[in-house]
Amino acid sequence: MKKAILLGIVLNVFLGFSQTIALQSFATGFSSPVDIANAGDTRLFVVEQGGLIKILNSDGTINATPFLNLSALTVLDGERGLLGLAFHPNYATNGLFYVNYTNLSGNTVIARYGVSANANIANSTGTILMTISQPYSNHNGGCLKFGPDGYLYIGMGDGGSAGDPNGYSQNLTVNTTEPTRVYLGKMLRIDVNTIAGSLNYGFPPTNPYVSQPGKEEIWARGLRNPWKFSFNRLNGDLWIADVGQGTVEEIDKIVNPLPTALNFGWRCYEGNSSYNTSGCAASSTMVFPFAQYTHSGGSCSITGGYFYTGTTYPNFQNKYFFTDYCDDKIRTVNSAGVITTTSAFSGNNFVTFGQDSNGELYLAGVSSGIVYKIIDSSLSTSEFNSNGFSIYPNPAKTSFTIKSNPNNLATQLELFDLTGKLLIDKKLNNVTENTITTNSLSKGIYLISITTTSGSSYTDKLIIE
């Protein structure tokens, strides 16, 4: 009974911590990292703006040979460069992936590539699916993702300058001189598994402008610069972070199953505020932000992230993570649309989040070249370490080691899940280090309680990944 009461106290204290978002350096030495993707395995693929895609392994090492080198095809200039990467949902069997880059003429290219016989090296020759004319050097978009419907979504900015001077975001008229500019300020959706005519892709039959030549790829309009968007990997909801003009940064949330013919409002509205409503449709026909924040304290440009779907950090559940390029503060928004902001992690200029195959989150700074893992630092106890005990590695994979104070050895170990269920009850050897295998444990957070030769008990957390 005494043990149960003690565990109950420990659990209440452990779960009662408020979240503290922290960054743990995972890998360094990247040159302008602008995207992080996973292919459904343990690797992360880091996109460098200059044209390289590098493989980042689960132990933090970086493969010496890039996965793909497109530096000869793309221009590194301001918001231009190699900007996005998306792996086909069936990548494990077909080896196909898609990239978004700015070519040497300054136009957006969407291209398909394939992996070679070496799983860590891609074939150097690809197939261009689309080339989209860009009138200015900024607001290129750059993000592309596969949705829950299996279609490829491509975020296009309004073409640049300021205030969308040519009205591209609301425009649905194809100009025969520059026909691809009808795609600017839009979210495109294509079917990469079919072919329409001479194209290297097909049109989803539910796209709103199917059978209207020149704009059949358009799924939604009214975007300014959806630099980053993502889908909730568990329920398919779409989260779009659309960069604002000079006052408001916005987050749009579209619940799955995804409707079509959406209008996100730019340039008629910047967030919820009127911007230039001349000739605009009724506001009732538009999608307004799920959440927004104004420029204050140095913020200037939203970087969208992911809705947390991992299991390591319970306090992160039911939150969408995002940040801002200028102030380097990590933000979350909950189901009520309430935004919470951390202090600044200065010197990074965050431009991309990453998500591994388990839903754990990463963040990269284009200036620092560092890829961080996002952790909840509140999930820790100091009493364990202050009395001379430690656990390593933590997070662990197949085993962990308890290191004891030589003057007060750990003699008994108990491991509990967060419901209080006892999973391991083990007598320890009378030595300073004892190693315990974890093959029977699922990924997640556990509590370890040790009893020592002095009769004291200490508790700490263990993460299995």
Side-chain angles (χ1 to χ4, degrees), residues 23 293 297-301 303 322-331 341-351 363-368 372:
L23 297 181
Y293 66 97
S299 62
C300 73
S301 179
T303 294
F322 62 104
T323 183
D324 190 280
Y325 171 83
C326 287
D327 68 14
D328 278 341
K329 296 177 182 179
I330 300 174
R331 296 166 169 83
T341 305
T342 70
S343 56
F345 298 89
S346 301
N348 287 285
N349 296 122
F350 295 129
V351 296
L363 185 60
V366 71
S367 297
S368 66
Y372 299 94

PDB file of all heavy atoms in Angstrom, residues 23 293 297-301 303 322-331 341-351 363-368 372:
ATOM      1  N   LEU A  23      14.715  22.969 -27.125  1.00  0.00           N
ATOM      2  CA  LEU A  23      15.361  22.456 -28.328  1.00  0.00           C
ATOM      3  C   LEU A  23      16.610  21.688 -27.945  1.00  0.00           C
ATOM      4  O   LEU A  23      17.405  22.136 -27.116  1.00  0.00           O
ATOM      5  CB  LEU A  23      15.731  23.602 -29.270  1.00  0.00           C
ATOM      6  CG  LEU A  23      14.572  24.417 -29.827  1.00  0.00           C
ATOM      7  CD1 LEU A  23      15.085  25.507 -30.760  1.00  0.00           C
ATOM      8  CD2 LEU A  23      13.575  23.523 -30.556  1.00  0.00           C
ATOM      9  N   TYR A 293      -1.784  36.051 -35.674  1.00  0.00           N
ATOM     10  CA  TYR A 293      -1.101  36.937 -34.742  1.00  0.00           C
ATOM     11  C   TYR A 293      -0.566  38.128 -35.529  1.00  0.00           C
ATOM     12  O   TYR A 293      -0.330  38.040 -36.738  1.00  0.00           O
ATOM     13  CB  TYR A 293       0.020  36.220 -33.986  1.00  0.00           C
ATOM     14  CG  TYR A 293       1.193  35.749 -34.824  1.00  0.00           C
ATOM     15  CD1 TYR A 293       2.363  36.507 -34.935  1.00  0.00           C
ATOM     16  CD2 TYR A 293       1.150  34.526 -35.488  1.00  0.00           C
ATOM     17  CE1 TYR A 293       3.446  36.079 -35.689  1.00  0.00           C
ATOM     18  CE2 TYR A 293       2.228  34.071 -36.234  1.00  0.00           C
ATOM     19  CZ  TYR A 293       3.376  34.852 -36.334  1.00  0.00           C
ATOM     20  OH  TYR A 293       4.450  34.423 -37.083  1.00  0.00           O
ATOM     21  N   GLY A 297       6.945  42.650 -31.313  1.00  0.00           N
ATOM     22  CA  GLY A 297       8.094  42.002 -30.696  1.00  0.00           C
ATOM     23  C   GLY A 297       9.078  41.419 -31.681  1.00  0.00           C
ATOM     24  O   GLY A 297       9.832  40.508 -31.354  1.00  0.00           O
ATOM     25  N   GLY A 298       9.063  41.916 -32.917  1.00  0.00           N
ATOM     26  CA  GLY A 298      10.041  41.464 -33.884  1.00  0.00           C
ATOM     27  C   GLY A 298       9.584  40.385 -34.839  1.00  0.00           C
ATOM     28  O   GLY A 298      10.355  39.935 -35.684  1.00  0.00           O
ATOM     29  N   SER A 299       8.331  39.942 -34.750  1.00  0.00           N
ATOM     30  CA  SER A 299       7.833  38.909 -35.668  1.00  0.00           C
ATOM     31  C   SER A 299       7.587  39.508 -37.049  1.00  0.00           C
ATOM     32  O   SER A 299       7.355  40.701 -37.185  1.00  0.00           O
ATOM     33  CB  SER A 299       6.543  38.290 -35.133  1.00  0.00           C
ATOM     34  OG  SER A 299       5.517  39.263 -35.019  1.00  0.00           O
ATOM     35  N   CYS A 300       7.649  38.662 -38.094  1.00  0.00           N
ATOM     36  CA  CYS A 300       7.471  39.208 -39.439  1.00  0.00           C
ATOM     37  C   CYS A 300       6.986  38.194 -40.459  1.00  0.00           C
ATOM     38  O   CYS A 300       6.401  38.570 -41.469  1.00  0.00           O
ATOM     39  CB  CYS A 300       8.779  39.803 -39.954  1.00  0.00           C
ATOM     40  SG  CYS A 300      10.025  38.567 -40.402  1.00  0.00           S
ATOM     41  N   SER A 301       7.212  36.880 -40.242  1.00  0.00           N
ATOM     42  CA  SER A 301       6.932  35.909 -41.296  1.00  0.00           C
ATOM     43  C   SER A 301       6.749  34.530 -40.679  1.00  0.00           C
ATOM     44  O   SER A 301       7.691  33.934 -40.154  1.00  0.00           O
ATOM     45  CB  SER A 301       8.088  35.883 -42.310  1.00  0.00           C
ATOM     46  OG  SER A 301       7.842  34.940 -43.322  1.00  0.00           O
ATOM     47  N   THR A 303       6.352  30.611 -40.077  1.00  0.00           N
ATOM     48  CA  THR A 303       6.839  29.333 -40.577  1.00  0.00           C
ATOM     49  C   THR A 303       5.954  28.239 -39.997  1.00  0.00           C
ATOM     50  O   THR A 303       5.947  28.018 -38.787  1.00  0.00           O
ATOM     51  CB  THR A 303       8.303  29.077 -40.170  1.00  0.00           C
ATOM     52  OG1 THR A 303       9.151  30.022 -40.821  1.00  0.00           O
ATOM     53  CG2 THR A 303       8.737  27.673 -40.563  1.00  0.00           C
ATOM     54  N   PHE A 322       4.249  26.010 -34.672  1.00  0.00           N
ATOM     55  CA  PHE A 322       4.717  26.888 -35.732  1.00  0.00           C
ATOM     56  C   PHE A 322       5.695  27.886 -35.130  1.00  0.00           C
ATOM     57  O   PHE A 322       5.915  27.902 -33.913  1.00  0.00           O
ATOM     58  CB  PHE A 322       3.557  27.583 -36.444  1.00  0.00           C
ATOM     59  CG  PHE A 322       2.708  28.482 -35.562  1.00  0.00           C
ATOM     60  CD1 PHE A 322       2.831  29.859 -35.621  1.00  0.00           C
ATOM     61  CD2 PHE A 322       1.764  27.948 -34.688  1.00  0.00           C
ATOM     62  CE1 PHE A 322       2.055  30.690 -34.824  1.00  0.00           C
ATOM     63  CE2 PHE A 322       0.978  28.765 -33.882  1.00  0.00           C
ATOM     64  CZ  PHE A 322       1.117  30.133 -33.952  1.00  0.00           C
ATOM     65  N   THR A 323       6.305  28.716 -35.971  1.00  0.00           N
ATOM     66  CA  THR A 323       7.273  29.693 -35.475  1.00  0.00           C
ATOM     67  C   THR A 323       7.277  30.901 -36.407  1.00  0.00           C
ATOM     68  O   THR A 323       6.419  31.015 -37.287  1.00  0.00           O
ATOM     69  CB  THR A 323       8.673  29.060 -35.356  1.00  0.00           C
ATOM     70  OG1 THR A 323       9.593  30.007 -34.804  1.00  0.00           O
ATOM     71  CG2 THR A 323       9.198  28.602 -36.703  1.00  0.00           C
ATOM     72  N   ASP A 324       8.225  31.786 -36.196  1.00  0.00           N
ATOM     73  CA  ASP A 324       8.334  32.989 -37.020  1.00  0.00           C
ATOM     74  C   ASP A 324       9.806  33.200 -37.381  1.00  0.00           C
ATOM     75  O   ASP A 324      10.689  33.109 -36.520  1.00  0.00           O
ATOM     76  CB  ASP A 324       7.809  34.205 -36.260  1.00  0.00           C
ATOM     77  CG  ASP A 324       7.664  35.439 -37.143  1.00  0.00           C
ATOM     78  OD1 ASP A 324       8.692  36.100 -37.401  1.00  0.00           O
ATOM     79  OD2 ASP A 324       6.542  35.738 -37.567  1.00  0.00           O
ATOM     80  N   TYR A 325      10.046  33.480 -38.645  1.00  0.00           N
ATOM     81  CA  TYR A 325      11.405  33.634 -39.164  1.00  0.00           C
ATOM     82  C   TYR A 325      12.192  34.704 -38.419  1.00  0.00           C
ATOM     83  O   TYR A 325      13.387  34.554 -38.167  1.00  0.00           O
ATOM     84  CB  TYR A 325      11.336  33.982 -40.658  1.00  0.00           C
ATOM     85  CG  TYR A 325      12.656  34.373 -41.280  1.00  0.00           C
ATOM     86  CD1 TYR A 325      13.555  33.405 -41.724  1.00  0.00           C
ATOM     87  CD2 TYR A 325      13.000  35.720 -41.429  1.00  0.00           C
ATOM     88  CE1 TYR A 325      14.767  33.766 -42.289  1.00  0.00           C
ATOM     89  CE2 TYR A 325      14.213  36.087 -41.996  1.00  0.00           C
ATOM     90  CZ  TYR A 325      15.093  35.104 -42.428  1.00  0.00           C
ATOM     91  OH  TYR A 325      16.291  35.464 -42.980  1.00  0.00           O
ATOM     92  N   CYS A 326      11.529  35.796 -38.053  1.00  0.00           N
ATOM     93  CA  CYS A 326      12.244  36.941 -37.505  1.00  0.00           C
ATOM     94  C   CYS A 326      12.484  36.877 -36.006  1.00  0.00           C
ATOM     95  O   CYS A 326      13.525  37.331 -35.521  1.00  0.00           O
ATOM     96  CB  CYS A 326      11.511  38.237 -37.837  1.00  0.00           C
ATOM     97  SG  CYS A 326      11.650  38.718 -39.577  1.00  0.00           S
ATOM     98  N   ASP A 327      11.545  36.330 -35.241  1.00  0.00           N
ATOM     99  CA  ASP A 327      11.736  36.391 -33.791  1.00  0.00           C
ATOM    100  C   ASP A 327      12.187  35.067 -33.172  1.00  0.00           C
ATOM    101  O   ASP A 327      12.493  34.998 -31.987  1.00  0.00           O
ATOM    102  CB  ASP A 327      10.488  36.925 -33.084  1.00  0.00           C
ATOM    103  CG  ASP A 327       9.286  35.986 -33.155  1.00  0.00           C
ATOM    104  OD1 ASP A 327       9.436  34.800 -33.510  1.00  0.00           O
ATOM    105  OD2 ASP A 327       8.166  36.454 -32.848  1.00  0.00           O
ATOM    106  N   ASP A 328      12.219  33.982 -33.963  1.00  0.00           N
ATOM    107  CA  ASP A 328      12.725  32.688 -33.487  1.00  0.00           C
ATOM    108  C   ASP A 328      11.994  32.187 -32.238  1.00  0.00           C
ATOM    109  O   ASP A 328      12.575  31.483 -31.403  1.00  0.00           O
ATOM    110  CB  ASP A 328      14.228  32.768 -33.195  1.00  0.00           C
ATOM    111  CG  ASP A 328      15.071  32.601 -34.456  1.00  0.00           C
ATOM    112  OD1 ASP A 328      14.555  32.085 -35.451  1.00  0.00           O
ATOM    113  OD2 ASP A 328      16.255  32.979 -34.432  1.00  0.00           O
ATOM    114  N   LYS A 329      10.719  32.533 -32.116  1.00  0.00           N
ATOM    115  CA  LYS A 329       9.913  32.026 -31.004  1.00  0.00           C
ATOM    116  C   LYS A 329       9.029  30.882 -31.500  1.00  0.00           C
ATOM    117  O   LYS A 329       8.424  30.986 -32.564  1.00  0.00           O
ATOM    118  CB  LYS A 329       9.041  33.141 -30.427  1.00  0.00           C
ATOM    119  CG  LYS A 329       9.835  34.279 -29.799  1.00  0.00           C
ATOM    120  CD  LYS A 329       8.919  35.397 -29.314  1.00  0.00           C
ATOM    121  CE  LYS A 329       9.730  36.552 -28.719  1.00  0.00           C
ATOM    122  NZ  LYS A 329       8.844  37.654 -28.274  1.00  0.00           N
ATOM    123  N   ILE A 330       8.986  29.805 -30.741  1.00  0.00           N
ATOM    124  CA  ILE A 330       8.126  28.682 -31.085  1.00  0.00           C
ATOM    125  C   ILE A 330       6.736  28.953 -30.514  1.00  0.00           C
ATOM    126  O   ILE A 330       6.591  29.371 -29.360  1.00  0.00           O
ATOM    127  CB  ILE A 330       8.686  27.362 -30.545  1.00  0.00           C
ATOM    128  CG1 ILE A 330      10.074  27.101 -31.136  1.00  0.00           C
ATOM    129  CG2 ILE A 330       7.748  26.203 -30.867  1.00  0.00           C
ATOM    130  CD1 ILE A 330      10.765  25.896 -30.557  1.00  0.00           C
ATOM    131  N   ARG A 331       5.744  28.704 -31.335  1.00  0.00           N
ATOM    132  CA  ARG A 331       4.363  28.922 -30.925  1.00  0.00           C
ATOM    133  C   ARG A 331       3.558  27.647 -31.088  1.00  0.00           C
ATOM    134  O   ARG A 331       3.857  26.811 -31.945  1.00  0.00           O
ATOM    135  CB  ARG A 331       3.731  30.046 -31.765  1.00  0.00           C
ATOM    136  CG  ARG A 331       4.372  31.408 -31.572  1.00  0.00           C
ATOM    137  CD  ARG A 331       3.936  32.384 -32.651  1.00  0.00           C
ATOM    138  NE  ARG A 331       4.325  33.763 -32.378  1.00  0.00           N
ATOM    139  CZ  ARG A 331       5.524  34.267 -32.646  1.00  0.00           C
ATOM    140  NH1 ARG A 331       6.452  33.504 -33.211  1.00  0.00           N
ATOM    141  NH2 ARG A 331       5.798  35.528 -32.366  1.00  0.00           N
ATOM    142  N   THR A 341       3.213  31.312 -26.816  1.00  0.00           N
ATOM    143  CA  THR A 341       4.502  31.664 -27.399  1.00  0.00           C
ATOM    144  C   THR A 341       5.628  31.468 -26.395  1.00  0.00           C
ATOM    145  O   THR A 341       5.491  31.838 -25.221  1.00  0.00           O
ATOM    146  CB  THR A 341       4.502  33.135 -27.859  1.00  0.00           C
ATOM    147  OG1 THR A 341       3.405  33.354 -28.745  1.00  0.00           O
ATOM    148  CG2 THR A 341       5.792  33.490 -28.585  1.00  0.00           C
ATOM    149  N   THR A 342       6.752  30.884 -26.844  1.00  0.00           N
ATOM    150  CA  THR A 342       7.923  30.720 -25.986  1.00  0.00           C
ATOM    151  C   THR A 342       8.790  31.965 -26.054  1.00  0.00           C
ATOM    152  O   THR A 342       8.528  32.896 -26.821  1.00  0.00           O
ATOM    153  CB  THR A 342       8.775  29.524 -26.440  1.00  0.00           C
ATOM    154  OG1 THR A 342       9.406  29.839 -27.693  1.00  0.00           O
ATOM    155  CG2 THR A 342       7.942  28.262 -26.605  1.00  0.00           C
ATOM    156  N   SER A 343       9.851  31.970 -25.280  1.00  0.00           N
ATOM    157  CA  SER A 343      10.885  32.986 -25.457  1.00  0.00           C
ATOM    158  C   SER A 343      11.681  32.643 -26.717  1.00  0.00           C
ATOM    159  O   SER A 343      11.530  31.561 -27.282  1.00  0.00           O
ATOM    160  CB  SER A 343      11.800  33.031 -24.230  1.00  0.00           C
ATOM    161  OG  SER A 343      12.348  31.745 -23.977  1.00  0.00           O
ATOM    162  N   ALA A 344      12.534  33.544 -27.157  1.00  0.00           N
ATOM    163  CA  ALA A 344      13.243  33.382 -28.422  1.00  0.00           C
ATOM    164  C   ALA A 344      14.412  32.407 -28.309  1.00  0.00           C
ATOM    165  O   ALA A 344      15.107  32.361 -27.292  1.00  0.00           O
ATOM    166  CB  ALA A 344      13.742  34.730 -28.910  1.00  0.00           C
ATOM    167  N   PHE A 345      14.609  31.626 -29.364  1.00  0.00           N
ATOM    168  CA  PHE A 345      15.806  30.801 -29.539  1.00  0.00           C
ATOM    169  C   PHE A 345      16.643  31.498 -30.613  1.00  0.00           C
ATOM    170  O   PHE A 345      16.686  31.086 -31.775  1.00  0.00           O
ATOM    171  CB  PHE A 345      15.425  29.384 -29.968  1.00  0.00           C
ATOM    172  CG  PHE A 345      14.582  28.642 -28.970  1.00  0.00           C
ATOM    173  CD1 PHE A 345      13.196  28.725 -29.004  1.00  0.00           C
ATOM    174  CD2 PHE A 345      15.176  27.863 -27.986  1.00  0.00           C
ATOM    175  CE1 PHE A 345      12.417  28.035 -28.079  1.00  0.00           C
ATOM    176  CE2 PHE A 345      14.407  27.177 -27.054  1.00  0.00           C
ATOM    177  CZ  PHE A 345      13.018  27.263 -27.099  1.00  0.00           C
ATOM    178  N   SER A 346      17.293  32.563 -30.236  1.00  0.00           N
ATOM    179  CA  SER A 346      17.852  33.523 -31.184  1.00  0.00           C
ATOM    180  C   SER A 346      18.987  32.950 -32.026  1.00  0.00           C
ATOM    181  O   SER A 346      19.671  31.999 -31.643  1.00  0.00           O
ATOM    182  CB  SER A 346      18.356  34.754 -30.437  1.00  0.00           C
ATOM    183  OG  SER A 346      17.303  35.360 -29.722  1.00  0.00           O
ATOM    184  N   GLY A 347      19.182  33.582 -33.196  1.00  0.00           N
ATOM    185  CA  GLY A 347      20.309  33.259 -34.054  1.00  0.00           C
ATOM    186  C   GLY A 347      20.062  32.147 -35.040  1.00  0.00           C
ATOM    187  O   GLY A 347      21.000  31.640 -35.658  1.00  0.00           O
ATOM    188  N   ASN A 348      18.816  31.756 -35.233  1.00  0.00           N
ATOM    189  CA  ASN A 348      18.516  30.620 -36.096  1.00  0.00           C
ATOM    190  C   ASN A 348      17.793  30.984 -37.386  1.00  0.00           C
ATOM    191  O   ASN A 348      18.068  30.434 -38.434  1.00  0.00           O
ATOM    192  CB  ASN A 348      17.669  29.597 -35.325  1.00  0.00           C
ATOM    193  CG  ASN A 348      18.461  28.838 -34.293  1.00  0.00           C
ATOM    194  OD1 ASN A 348      19.246  27.959 -34.615  1.00  0.00           O
ATOM    195  ND2 ASN A 348      18.252  29.178 -33.024  1.00  0.00           N
ATOM    196  N   ASN A 349      16.828  31.907 -37.304  1.00  0.00           N
ATOM    197  CA  ASN A 349      15.928  32.185 -38.429  1.00  0.00           C
ATOM    198  C   ASN A 349      15.268  30.886 -38.900  1.00  0.00           C
ATOM    199  O   ASN A 349      15.572  30.336 -39.948  1.00  0.00           O
ATOM    200  CB  ASN A 349      16.670  32.856 -39.583  1.00  0.00           C
ATOM    201  CG  ASN A 349      17.207  34.223 -39.232  1.00  0.00           C
ATOM    202  OD1 ASN A 349      18.400  34.458 -39.321  1.00  0.00           O
ATOM    203  ND2 ASN A 349      16.338  35.138 -38.816  1.00  0.00           N
ATOM    204  N   PHE A 350      14.322  30.414 -38.088  1.00  0.00           N
ATOM    205  CA  PHE A 350      13.661  29.138 -38.359  1.00  0.00           C
ATOM    206  C   PHE A 350      12.797  29.223 -39.616  1.00  0.00           C
ATOM    207  O   PHE A 350      11.935  30.103 -39.730  1.00  0.00           O
ATOM    208  CB  PHE A 350      12.780  28.729 -37.178  1.00  0.00           C
ATOM    209  CG  PHE A 350      13.542  28.439 -35.916  1.00  0.00           C
ATOM    210  CD1 PHE A 350      13.177  29.045 -34.727  1.00  0.00           C
ATOM    211  CD2 PHE A 350      14.617  27.563 -35.915  1.00  0.00           C
ATOM    212  CE1 PHE A 350      13.867  28.774 -33.549  1.00  0.00           C
ATOM    213  CE2 PHE A 350      15.317  27.290 -34.753  1.00  0.00           C
ATOM    214  CZ  PHE A 350      14.940  27.902 -33.559  1.00  0.00           C
ATOM    215  N   VAL A 351      13.014  28.326 -40.559  1.00  0.00           N
ATOM    216  CA  VAL A 351      12.218  28.318 -41.789  1.00  0.00           C
ATOM    217  C   VAL A 351      11.554  26.978 -42.058  1.00  0.00           C
ATOM    218  O   VAL A 351      10.751  26.870 -42.984  1.00  0.00           O
ATOM    219  CB  VAL A 351      13.061  28.713 -43.017  1.00  0.00           C
ATOM    220  CG1 VAL A 351      13.562  30.137 -42.909  1.00  0.00           C
ATOM    221  CG2 VAL A 351      14.211  27.735 -43.234  1.00  0.00           C
ATOM    222  N   LEU A 363      13.193  21.010 -35.946  1.00  0.00           N
ATOM    223  CA  LEU A 363      13.151  22.399 -36.377  1.00  0.00           C
ATOM    224  C   LEU A 363      14.542  22.797 -36.853  1.00  0.00           C
ATOM    225  O   LEU A 363      15.548  22.417 -36.241  1.00  0.00           O
ATOM    226  CB  LEU A 363      12.715  23.293 -35.207  1.00  0.00           C
ATOM    227  CG  LEU A 363      12.495  24.778 -35.451  1.00  0.00           C
ATOM    228  CD1 LEU A 363      11.415  25.014 -36.485  1.00  0.00           C
ATOM    229  CD2 LEU A 363      12.118  25.462 -34.131  1.00  0.00           C
ATOM    230  N   ALA A 364      14.607  23.521 -37.977  1.00  0.00           N
ATOM    231  CA  ALA A 364      15.913  23.899 -38.526  1.00  0.00           C
ATOM    232  C   ALA A 364      16.006  25.402 -38.722  1.00  0.00           C
ATOM    233  O   ALA A 364      15.045  26.056 -39.136  1.00  0.00           O
ATOM    234  CB  ALA A 364      16.160  23.189 -39.856  1.00  0.00           C
ATOM    235  N   GLY A 365      17.197  25.932 -38.453  1.00  0.00           N
ATOM    236  CA  GLY A 365      17.479  27.343 -38.661  1.00  0.00           C
ATOM    237  C   GLY A 365      18.257  27.536 -39.946  1.00  0.00           C
ATOM    238  O   GLY A 365      19.315  26.917 -40.135  1.00  0.00           O
ATOM    239  N   VAL A 366      17.748  28.392 -40.832  1.00  0.00           N
ATOM    240  CA  VAL A 366      18.429  28.610 -42.110  1.00  0.00           C
ATOM    241  C   VAL A 366      19.752  29.335 -41.903  1.00  0.00           C
ATOM    242  O   VAL A 366      20.696  29.169 -42.696  1.00  0.00           O
ATOM    243  CB  VAL A 366      17.517  29.394 -43.083  1.00  0.00           C
ATOM    244  CG1 VAL A 366      17.346  30.836 -42.655  1.00  0.00           C
ATOM    245  CG2 VAL A 366      18.010  29.302 -44.510  1.00  0.00           C
ATOM    246  N   SER A 367      19.874  30.129 -40.852  1.00  0.00           N
ATOM    247  CA  SER A 367      21.113  30.852 -40.579  1.00  0.00           C
ATOM    248  C   SER A 367      22.099  30.022 -39.771  1.00  0.00           C
ATOM    249  O   SER A 367      23.305  30.040 -40.036  1.00  0.00           O
ATOM    250  CB  SER A 367      20.814  32.162 -39.832  1.00  0.00           C
ATOM    251  OG  SER A 367      20.041  33.028 -40.630  1.00  0.00           O
ATOM    252  N   SER A 368      21.606  29.277 -38.787  1.00  0.00           N
ATOM    253  CA  SER A 368      22.498  28.499 -37.916  1.00  0.00           C
ATOM    254  C   SER A 368      22.941  27.191 -38.548  1.00  0.00           C
ATOM    255  O   SER A 368      23.996  26.657 -38.211  1.00  0.00           O
ATOM    256  CB  SER A 368      21.798  28.200 -36.587  1.00  0.00           C
ATOM    257  OG  SER A 368      20.686  27.326 -36.787  1.00  0.00           O
ATOM    258  N   TYR A 372      17.323  20.852 -34.905  1.00  0.00           N
ATOM    259  CA  TYR A 372      17.023  20.581 -33.503  1.00  0.00           C
ATOM    260  C   TYR A 372      15.884  19.562 -33.390  1.00  0.00           C
ATOM    261  O   TYR A 372      15.021  19.488 -34.267  1.00  0.00           O
ATOM    262  CB  TYR A 372      16.566  21.856 -32.791  1.00  0.00           C
ATOM    263  CG  TYR A 372      17.555  22.981 -32.744  1.00  0.00           C
ATOM    264  CD1 TYR A 372      17.542  23.984 -33.714  1.00  0.00           C
ATOM    265  CD2 TYR A 372      18.489  23.070 -31.719  1.00  0.00           C
ATOM    266  CE1 TYR A 372      18.430  25.043 -33.671  1.00  0.00           C
ATOM    267  CE2 TYR A 372      19.380  24.142 -31.655  1.00  0.00           C
ATOM    268  CZ  TYR A 372      19.349  25.116 -32.638  1.00  0.00           C
ATOM    269  OH  TYR A 372      20.222  26.168 -32.591  1.00  0.00           O
TER     270      TYR A 372
END
